[in-house]
Amino acid sequence: MSFAHLIAFTAGLLLLYYGAGWLVRGSSTLARSLGLTPMVVGLTVVAFGTSTPELVVSMVSAFKGKSMIALGNVVGSNICNIALVLGLTAVFHPVTTGRVVITRDIPLMLVVSAYLLLLSFNSTIGRVEGLSLFVGILAYTWFNYKVALRVDRTMPGKAVLEARLPAGKIGLADKRWGQCLMIAGGTGAVVLGADLLVDAAVSIMTALGVDEKFVGLTVVAFGTSVPELATSVVAAMKKEMDISLGNLVGSNVFNLLSVVGATAMVRPIVIDGGFIGSGLVVDYLVMMAISALPLLLMKQDLTITRGKGLILLGCYVAYVIFLIVKD
């Protein structure tokens, strides 16, 4: 492993982080300038935009014949979002959510996870299976849109949704040409960043003698979750909780349906060594267990306290240690 590989990996992370930000800001301000309401923009443009790093990294990995990085990226990102991002955020400031997240959103995420588990048992996620996942994300977006139409603008859920939008038009985002430039630049940065990240990760993987599943579940997954992690921790430190468990759950659903679905539609995902033989089934089960953990922690008061946040962080650390020891 050379210093150049570390530089390339770091550059890839930075391009993913800033590129996703430019893409979301440019596309959301453009959509609003064209007359779309903040609610619609939040449910479509911003929701898809924040999943761009995972989507592009998974697609690039699949094209390079590194399917285990592609799938590991999604599974690892979902574990990271709940255990690391939510846990660390709660340590800085307790996170409270609405009951609908417990009664509807998390169970839906678990159902989608179980469906992906079933699709993976034959060790291949083909184009038709990918299409079924992608149809799922379209249905999920449509359902959320219909539900949001019935929610008054003053309701907390709506306020959280609109808080995710970039605040105010500043600089390039003030002009139509600037918005288009930000979209183009953000897209280019994310694509280039994903290419650098995957190539560097493969080189590091080879040098350290670890398999690509491990790299996808840990290093790459953490890298694509950096935007959510940075946003959540900064918001918590400022006590401006524009990130919520509902948003993280939504991000996980998008990862499972749109990222895996779109990647498989472009190029079927083949699980090297088999779903059981590769041990990926264990990672799926860990993802589902950690995804269900907030149901137990928030059953009484709908709040992730600092103590509960430490439990989530402990689960993430334990999982990473398990992966290191196993490999």
Side-chain angles (χ1 to χ4, degrees):
M1 179 175 61
S2 68
F3 184 68
H5 292 145
L6 294 177
I7 293 295
F9 187 84
T10 303
L13 284 180
L14 292 174
L15 285 170
L16 282 175
Y17 176 72
Y18 287 106
W22 296 335
L23 177 60
V24 170
R25 183 170 181 78
S27 56
S28 60
T29 51
L30 175 61
R32 295 179 70 173
S33 71
L34 293 175
L36 295 180
T37 65
M39 176 184 65
V40 174
V41 175
L43 287 169
T44 55
V45 177
V46 174
F48 278 100
T50 52
S51 291
T52 301
E54 286 88 351
L55 176 61
V56 178
V57 167
S58 291
M59 282 193 167
V60 169
S61 299
F63 272 120
K64 292 178 178 290
K66 301 296 180 181
S67 296
M68 293 299 280
I69 290 181
L71 203 52
N73 172 38
V74 171
V75 175
S77 290
N78 281 17
I79 294 172
C80 190
N81 279 346
I82 300 297
L84 178 61
V85 177
L86 180 61
L88 193 58
T89 301
V91 168
F92 282 96
H93 192 281
V95 177
T96 301
T97 190
R99 187 163 295 278
V100 68
V101 175
I102 301 299
T103 59
R104 186 192 69 197
D105 295 339
I106 293 181
L108 177 61
M109 176 178 60
L110 293 174
V111 168
V112 173
S113 300
Y115 178 59
L116 182 61
L117 177 70
L118 291 175
L119 293 182
S120 302
F121 263 109
N122 65 350
S123 302
T124 301
I125 302 177
R127 288 189 170 89
V128 174
E129 295 167 322
L131 177 61
S132 70
L133 290 168
F134 198 76
V135 168
I137 197 57
L138 297 179
Y140 177 73
T141 302
W142 178 84
F143 173 76
N144 276 331
Y145 172 70
K146 288 297 183 180
V147 170
L149 285 179
R150 298 195 297 267
V151 178
D152 186 83
R153 295 183 64 86
T154 60
M155 293 297 287
K158 183 65 173 299
V160 169
L161 177 62
E162 295 193 14
R164 297 176 66 196
L165 300 176
K169 294 182 178 181
I170 302 175
L172 287 176
D174 189 40
K175 304 293 183 181
R176 186 69 56 81
W177 64 267
Q179 295 161 3
C180 294
L181 185 61
M182 291 181 74
I183 293 172
T187 301
V190 169
V191 172
L192 178 59
D195 189 60
L196 285 173
L197 183 70
V198 172
D199 283 345
V202 171
S203 298
I204 293 172
M205 170 190 74
T206 302
L208 295 178
V210 297
D211 61 27
E212 63 184 64
K213 179 172 74 76
F214 175 84
V215 174
L217 287 166
T218 56
V219 181
V220 177
F222 175 79
T224 55
S225 293
V226 165
E228 288 93 341
L229 179 61
T231 300
S232 300
V233 172
V234 170
M237 293 176 66
K238 293 181 178 179
K239 297 183 179 180
E240 297 173 356
M241 298 307 296
D242 61 342
I243 195 75
S244 71
L245 175 58
N247 292 333
L248 291 174
V249 170
S251 177
N252 281 9
V253 173
F254 267 85
N255 286 344
L256 294 167
L257 294 176
S258 65
V259 176
V260 177
T263 301
M265 286 168 62
V266 172
R267 182 167 183 170
I269 299 174
V270 179
I271 301 176
D272 296 333
F275 186 54
I276 305 296
S278 67
L280 192 59
V281 62
V282 176
D283 303 302
Y284 270 54
L285 294 175
V286 170
M287 175 185 70
M288 295 176 69
I290 287 180
S291 297
L293 194 55
L295 286 174
L296 300 176
L297 297 178
M298 306 181 79
K299 186 176 181 180
Q300 300 298 326
D301 55 6
L302 301 179
T303 300
I304 297 290
T305 62
R306 288 184 173 88
K308 295 174 182 176
L310 288 174
I311 292 175
L312 289 171
L313 283 177
C315 289
Y316 185 75
V317 172
Y319 175 63
V320 173
I321 292 175
F322 164 75
L323 290 176
I324 293 175
V325 172
K326 186 182 67 171
D327 288 341

